[in-house]
């Protein structure tokens, strides 16, 4: 049996996407995990609760005794079989629980009894999570330095900023991590990640970029402090509030095309695939009209009523004929009369931060060679 040492080299673990076997209970995993982690728990949620109560009331020895009592031979055999399959698939991986203590050591012992050595993460989930929090804070501070700043891609709603970000090599996609397009209409069919999952994914992405390009600017989309239901970490927010801006210029007609493609033409088939034709069409309609209702106060009653009529008719035509052009007038009103005034106000408070302006191809070419002086 080949023996590997336990590890606390968190940087290497995340830079190399080392597979991680998480033996915490599902309820813990769902609150926060790492992109390369797989949850095969030692205890299920109910067992964790019962043993945790015993630990608080009678101490560790009593909790261990209860754990072995609950871990019947059949349960142990199933756990060992599941872990063995994982270890055989990912022999380079590591195992962890919350603090790298009782549960991970028990799991390691059971795996060892099957003839397999699998090392632990020292400090467990808590230590890795602490590393990622501290690392993102440190990298956020480093990205305030004038020689290697964070540059925000700014631009009006629908200008294609996310598409542009994906063309720039030294960039990270906040909306992609958040699974949300950032606007009132940005909610997607797939749920947003838990806040901790969002932060972990973001920290790892920035860690990798800073490791590969330690003295170069990085790029991301200009965002507010929240993207849907997730919140940007405070140090990153502070960096973004003073970051230089590269402004993407996109004609209104093209912005309407982009919005139509992203929010209608690409979105509806996802609902149909998930729910079937009839229910999918109904849920897609609820999504479009529900988004309008969420900004009703800001739109004003008359404008909200008019837009609801436009989008309701457009939905009917799209469902009956497949023609989505009737959405264009409503999209134009939203962009020109709702989103653009908000953007203009925000930009008026950012004097002196713009360092470049151009179309998508011009910004991609500029970003490739941009070196702060």
């Amino acid at each position: 049996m080949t023996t590997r040492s336990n590890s606390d080299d968190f940087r290497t673990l995340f830079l190399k996407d080392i597979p991680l076997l998480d033996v915490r209970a599902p309820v813990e995993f769902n609150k926060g995990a790492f992109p390369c982690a797989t949850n095969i728990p030692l205890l299920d949620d109910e067992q964790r609760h019962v043993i945790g109560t015993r630990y608080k009331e009678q101490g560790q020895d009593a909790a261990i005794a209860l754990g072995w009592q609950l871990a019947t031979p059949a349960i142990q055999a199933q756990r060992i079989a599941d872990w063995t399959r994982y270890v055989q698939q990912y022999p380079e991986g590591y195992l962890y629980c919350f603090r790298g203590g009782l549960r991970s050591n028990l799991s390691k012992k059971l795996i060892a009894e099957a003839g397999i050595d699998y090392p632990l993460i020292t400090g467990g989930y808590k230590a890795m999570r602490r590393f990622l929090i501290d690392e993102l804070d440190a990298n956020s501070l480093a990205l305030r330095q004038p020689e290697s700043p964070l540059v925000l891609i700014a631009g009006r709603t629908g200008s294609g900023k996310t598409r542009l970000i994906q063309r720039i090599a030294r960039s990270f996609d906040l909306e992609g991590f958040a699974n949300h397009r950032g606007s009132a209409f940005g909610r997607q069919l797939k749920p947003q990640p838990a806040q901790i999952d969002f932060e972990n994914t973001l920290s790892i992405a920035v860690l990798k970029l800073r490791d590969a390009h330690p003295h170069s600017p990085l790029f991301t989309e200009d965002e507010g402090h929240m993207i849907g239901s997730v919140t940007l970490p405070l140090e990153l927010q502070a960096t973004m509030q003073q970051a230089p801006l590269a402004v993407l210029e996109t004609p209104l007609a093209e912005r309407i095309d982009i919005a139509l493609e992203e929010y209608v033409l690409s979105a509806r088939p996802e609902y149909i695939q998930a729910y079937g034709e009839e229910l999918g069409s109904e849920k897609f309609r609820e999504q479009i009209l529900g988004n309008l209702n969420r900004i009703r106060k800001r739109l004003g009653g008359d404008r909200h009523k008019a837009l609801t009529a436009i989008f309701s008719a457009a939905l009917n035509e799209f469902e009956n004929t497949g023609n989505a052009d009737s959405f264009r007038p409503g999209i134009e009103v939203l962009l020109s009369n709702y989103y653009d005034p908000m953007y203009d106000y925000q930009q008026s408070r950012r004097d002196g931060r713009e360092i470049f302006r151009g179309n998508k191809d011009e910004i991609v070419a500029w970003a490739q060679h941009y070196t702060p002086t």
Side-chain angles (χ1 to χ4, degrees), residues 8 10 35 43 67 93-94 123 145 157 160 208 227 245 257 313 357:
D8 61 359
F10 308 133
L43 307 171
Y94 291 84
Q145 302 304 313
T157 298
K208 290 179 176 179
I227 308 175
L245 306 173
D257 288 342
R357 177 179 290 266

Side-chain angles (χ1 to χ4, degrees), residues 26 43 59 156 162 198 262 342:
L43 307 171
R156 298 181 184 277
T162 299
F198 169 73
E262 292 186 349
M342 288 195 296

Side-chain angles (χ1 to χ4, degrees), residues 111-122:
I111 293 173
E113 290 176 357
I116 301 171
D117 175 74
Y118 213 56
L120 307 181
I121 300 294
T122 305

Side-chain angles (χ1 to χ4, degrees), residues 222-243:
D222 185 18
E223 296 285 353
H225 73 283
M226 295 192 71
I227 308 175
S229 63
V230 300
T231 304
L232 296 180
L234 291 177
E235 286 293 352
L236 181 60
Q237 285 186 45
T239 297
M240 293 174 69
Q241 287 168 1
Q242 63 188 56

